[in-house]
Amino acid sequence: GAVVSQHPSWVICKSGTSVKIECRSLDFQATTMFWYRQFPKQSLMLMATSNEGSKATYEQGVEKDKFLINHASLTLSTLTVTSAHPEDSSFYICSASHRSRPEETPETQYFGPGTRLLVL
Amino acid sequence: AQKVTQAQTEISVVEKEDVTLDCVYETRDTTYYLFWYKQPPSGELVFLIRRNSFDEQNEISGRYSWNFQKSTSSFNFTITASQVVDSAVYFCALSDSWGKLQFGAGTQVVVTP
């Protein structure tokens, strides 16, 4: 249980184009999903918290107009990198919160396999 | 502010050796939650364990064991009889009551045959 998928796993695009990454919880509903960015040999950096049906909460320093997040349903959140540039090349990982027991608070984050973005 | 320190950048061991990963945390919260995740070369983070601040029981799961010591603000992770498949980056993370994770820098474990 608690499987999270991401699509695509790899994307190469030209500078100036927009890229959409999907994050899906496959066997549970997730009220909250998170988007992270990870540079090589570094830790995960939280970009934003996405709640179903409401606007995402962005971390300090993350441009909300650059990284558009939509959490349209309890199983799907999308991250759109608008007008991508080479410096946006990175590994993007999403997570979805899931409660393995009814009394578990807060929920545990389960991660997707990640999306490697390369902007040429 | 919350902080997680994983002082070991990389640990190399030979198969069947034990390996202990250190994790020290800082928080002003009285209630908090600690996690360990494994990130193999494929990139996906795999959830290993969760521990609540009010539960100091140590835990063993197969070859994995965790030692939570509130007195020293540590949540260390030991892999017994390591295997090549244990080669990965291991992250310790700290969460507040809202579920937002603060990750440590990670420790790369390299297990050679």
Side-chain angles (χ1 to χ4, degrees):
Chain A
V3 178
V4 179
S5 71
Q6 266 183 257
H7 178 79
S9 54
W10 268 99
V11 59
I12 301 174
C13 69
K14 292 183 179 178
S15 188
T17 59
S18 293
V19 175
K20 181 186 279 189
I21 302 170
E22 291 186 349
C23 177
R24 293 181 185 273
S25 55
L26 297 185
D27 52 357
F28 65 101
Q29 293 184 326
T31 306
T32 304
M33 291 185 172
F34 300 85
W35 286 95
Y36 294 84
R37 186 173 180 176
Q38 186 181 32
F39 291 106
K41 296 193 182 299
Q42 292 189 24
S43 188
L44 282 77
M45 182 192 79
L46 179 65
M47 298 174 67
T49 302
S50 166
N51 288 296
E52 187 266 336
S54 63
K55 289 185 180 179
T57 303
Y58 290 82
E59 294 300 300
Q60 195 171 11
V62 178
E63 299 174 60
K64 61 181 181 181
D65 295 329
K66 172 78 171 174
F67 300 99
L68 300 178
I69 292 172
N70 187 323
H71 194 155
S73 76
L74 288 172
T75 59
L76 173 64
S77 176
T78 60
L79 167 68
T80 301
V81 183
T82 62
S83 186
H85 287 97
E87 58 266 29
D88 298 323
S89 299
S90 189
F91 187 51
Y92 293 87
I93 314 175
C94 73
S95 71
S97 290
H98 176 60
R99 187 173 280 121
S100 59
R101 295 188 302 277
E103 67 277 14
E104 186 176 271
T105 301
E107 298 169 310
T108 296
Q109 290 185 35
Y110 292 86
F111 287 80
T115 297
R116 297 191 187 277
L117 170 64
L118 176 61
V119 184
L120 302 175
Chain B
Q2 298 190 316
K3 186 179 176 182
V4 177
T5 301
Q6 294 181 256
Q8 304 149 307
T9 305
E10 181 171 324
I11 302 175
S12 293
V13 296
V14 177
E15 215 171 12
K16 297 185 182 176
E17 287 183 341
D18 297 347
V19 56
T20 295
L21 285 63
D22 298 333
C23 173
V24 175
Y25 62 91
E26 294 176 32
T27 179
R28 292 181 181 173
D29 295 338
T30 53
T31 301
Y32 52 89
Y33 308 84
L34 294 160
F35 299 79
W36 276 95
Y37 287 89
K38 173 183 179 180
Q39 187 177 39
S42 61
E44 179 174 359
L45 267 81
V46 178
F47 166 70
L48 296 179
I49 191 170
R50 167 199 178 111
R51 177 61 72 227
N52 303 331
S53 57
F54 44 85
D55 179 6
E56 284 195 72
Q57 246 186 339
N58 291 325
E59 184 157 337
I60 298 175
S61 176
R63 296 184 297 107
Y64 295 168
S65 62
W66 291 269
N67 184 355
F68 176 29
Q69 297 215 339
K70 236 173 157 176
S71 60
T72 55
S73 297
S74 65
F75 186 40
N76 297 338
F77 171 33
T78 297
I79 304 173
T80 303
S82 61
Q83 300 176 2
V84 173
V85 292
D86 296 327
S87 297
V89 179
Y90 291 85
F91 289 98
C92 179
L94 171 67
S95 167
D96 57 18
S97 299
W98 298 101
K100 198 164 148 181
L101 289 174
Q102 176 69 49
F103 282 90
T107 298
Q108 171 81 58
V109 173
V110 178
V111 183
T112 53

